[in-house]
Each structure stands twice: as structure tokens, then as C-alpha cells.
Amino acid sequence: MANLPAAEISADPALVGQLIREQRPDLAGLELHVAGSGWDNHIYRLGADYAVRLPRRRSAAGLTANEQQWLPQLTAEVPIPTSAPLFSGTPCELYPWPWSITRWFDGQDVSLQPRDRNTALAEGLASFLNAFHRPAPPDYPRNPFRGGPLPERDRSVQERLDTGMVPHAVRVREVWSEAREAPGWPGPSLWLHGDLHAANLVSKDQALQAVIDFGDMTAGDPATDLAAAWLVFDAAGRTAFRAALGPQYDADPHIWQRARGWAVCLATVLLANSDDAPGLNLLGSETLMEILTNDREGTP
């Protein structure tokens, strides 16, 4: 059974408060509250407007460093707010890894709302991708799990399908095989969010308020992020999402076939690794049902 990885450093409120006093003393008077923990980060709310994100594990420290290096400039002109660092904390004797202060978004975790409400978010998410998906420089941060050719993910997907934790595994394997055989992305490596599912989106007043958690950021095949068509939306939402995307995606007739394959890949990750995170497990189940309901269609 897969569980949340143990924290290698427990960043308790006293430690976080001391970091803020040392590196951002102008914010030290703000109230600090535990907001939760994910696979990679401790999350605190700082005052009304800020969040503090600190890696829980050494492997996540490099992801934080990537966000600090790249995100502020990449997201400066995108039309949707993001969790790009507002302040980049530096390693010190008290805490050995980089950490960040970002904006706090007070809206709704999109994974917690019914999918039929997400159609209202389609235009906002498409506008984010239209702006964010641009060619990356040669030194973009590499990610062995996102953005590359689908056949490179075959062994991992097949292993997850063999665990018994993914329902309808026979049908899912058929969909995966079709997607895996699609021709690859013919264009340049584009910047990718890398983990664009509903739990990394925030909504407010029936609109997309923010795109968050860029820890898997990399560059490659934009079909990786277009998997959001199934990870976020129902059939009506997928139609609206695709209609709002820019024409740059239409040049590749196989992009939606690969996007559906990436949706399979990410849904099986959620199903096989979320025993202690029922919300993410439900997200994986809902995504799988969206994929299988439309498994005879090559596009959303």
C-alpha cells in the first residue's frame, strides 16, 4: 500500500517562524498557521496574503530550486495568477534547503467541487496554457517522469496496472496501448506545468483563480498538460477547453491521443499512490471514468 512519504525534516511552526524572522523580518509579525502537507512540501499560511512552502524531503529541494529560478520570469505575463515565489528563502544552519513565500489563494481546491462546475474554468485554464506553453531554452529543468515520449512511461504504467489498485485494468491497458503508439510531438520542447490536475487549481466565483504547485515543471510535449482535459473536466468541459486553446496545438493531429495517454499515466499514479489521500484517489477514479467513457474517441 502506498502512503505519503515520511518527512526527512519536520519543519514545525517554531522553525518556520525563526526562518521568517531571520530572512524576512518585515513579515515576522504576521500570524503563522499550519495549512497542510503534501508529498513534497510543508505548507503554512502567513498572515492573510502569503503561503510558506518548505520541502519535506531532499528530493523535493531541487524542485523548489527550479521554481525559484524559473517561475517568476515565466509567469510574469501569464493571465492567471500562480504560486510563483515572491521570496526565495535560502538554505541556512537552521534549515538546509531552499524554501519559498508565495501568494495565498483563498478560493476552492478544484478537486473538491463537482466536475460539471469546472466548465466555467475551461477558458481560464486554456488561456494559461496558451501563454505558458512557449519554447524552452536548452537548459530547462529535466524531469524523467513528465514531458517525454509516452513509451518511456510504459513500464511504470504497466506495473501500476498490475497492482490491482487500478479498476478496469484490461480496458485501461487497451487505451494506454493505443496512446503509446501515437507519433510523438513534432515541435520544440515547450514549457510544461507537468502536474496539471484539479488539485493544483484554485477556483473562486466560478472562475479560475490560480494555478499552483509547479514542482514537476519541465519542458517537452504539451500533450502532458493537455491531459487536464480528463483530469479536470467532464465531456462538456473538455469541449470548452479545447475550443479555447490556441491554434498552435492543431498542427499535430495526434496530440489528443497522446494527451489521453498522459491522462491514463497520471490517473494511475493517483490511484496507486494515494491510500492515505482519499481526495487524490477519488480524483484518479473520476479521471479514469472520464477516459473510459470516451475510450472510442481519439479526442476530447
Side-chain angles (χ1 to χ4, degrees):
M1 303 291 278
N3 294 297
L4 193 71
E8 296 171 20
I9 292 181
S10 179
D12 61 27
L15 183 150
V16 178
Q18 184 63 31
L19 282 174
I20 294 169
R21 285 191 292 274
E22 291 183 359
Q23 298 193 24
R24 280 303 302 264
D26 57 313
L27 302 180
L30 299 177
E31 291 189 24
L32 185 69
H33 301 283
V34 175
S37 290
W39 277 72
D40 294 324
N41 294 292
H42 299 287
I43 312 289
Y44 285 83
R45 185 171 185 177
L46 178 63
D49 300 322
Y50 303 108
V52 185
R53 295 165 56 87
L54 308 96
R56 300 172 67 249
R57 302 177 294 146
R58 183 180 301 277
S59 60
L63 306 183
T64 297
N66 287 338
E67 290 181 327
Q68 292 179 348
Q69 177 182 353
W70 295 103
L71 267 187
Q73 66 188 59
L74 285 176
T75 61
E77 298 183 3
V78 299
I80 301 295
T82 73
S83 57
L86 301 174
F87 171 76
S88 296
T90 58
C92 60
E93 183 177 352
L94 187 65
Y95 182 80
W97 302 325
W99 56 280
S100 299
I101 296 177
T102 71
R103 282 185 58 182
W104 175 268
F105 300 102
D106 60 358
Q108 172 81 21
D109 175 343
V110 171
S111 70
L112 301 179
Q113 66 186 33
R115 284 191 175 225
D116 60 7
R117 294 178 57 185
N118 294 350
T119 300
L121 313 181
E123 185 173 349
L125 186 57
S127 69
F128 165 78
L129 291 178
N130 289 337
F132 193 74
H133 281 173
R134 54 190 188 270
D139 59 340
Y140 69 82
R142 265 53 182 182
N143 184 329
F145 308 110
R146 302 287 194 271
L150 276 179
E152 293 182 358
R153 309 307 320 137
D154 185 57
R155 180 176 178 180
S156 296
V157 172
Q158 300 288 0
E159 288 176 350
R160 291 193 288 271
L161 291 175
D162 288 339
T163 63
M165 299 177 70
V166 179
H168 311 292
V170 172
R171 290 178 64 196
V172 175
R173 204 183 302 271
E174 293 172 354
V175 175
W176 168 251
S177 296
E178 293 174 4
R180 183 191 60 203
E181 294 168 6
W185 169 242
S189 292
L190 303 184
W191 281 109
L192 306 174
H193 177 282
D195 199 27
L196 200 60
H197 56 66
N200 286 334
L201 303 177
V202 182
S203 66
K204 187 175 183 179
D205 299 328
Q206 297 185 318
L208 183 62
Q209 184 188 29
V211 178
I212 63 173
D213 196 349
F214 288 73
D216 280 307
M217 178 181 60
T218 185
D221 181 0
T224 310
D225 284 349
L226 297 187
W230 291 270
L231 286 155
V232 177
F233 300 109
D234 62 9
R238 280 191 291 279
T239 299
F241 177 58
R242 186 174 184 184
L245 288 167
Q248 66 266 35
Y249 306 102
D250 295 335
D252 178 7
H254 306 285
I255 194 167
W256 289 106
Q257 188 177 353
R258 294 195 312 280
R260 188 172 57 164
W262 276 106
V264 169
C265 181
L266 296 173
T268 57
V269 168
L270 292 169
L271 286 165
N273 295 281
S274 301
D275 287 339
D276 58 350
L280 292 179
N281 191 278
L282 178 61
L283 174 58
S285 296
E286 290 179 345
T287 298
L288 204 62
M289 291 304 98
E290 293 294 333
I291 293 167
L292 296 179
T293 298
N294 297 276
D295 66 359
R296 289 185 173 85
E297 303 175 18
T299 70

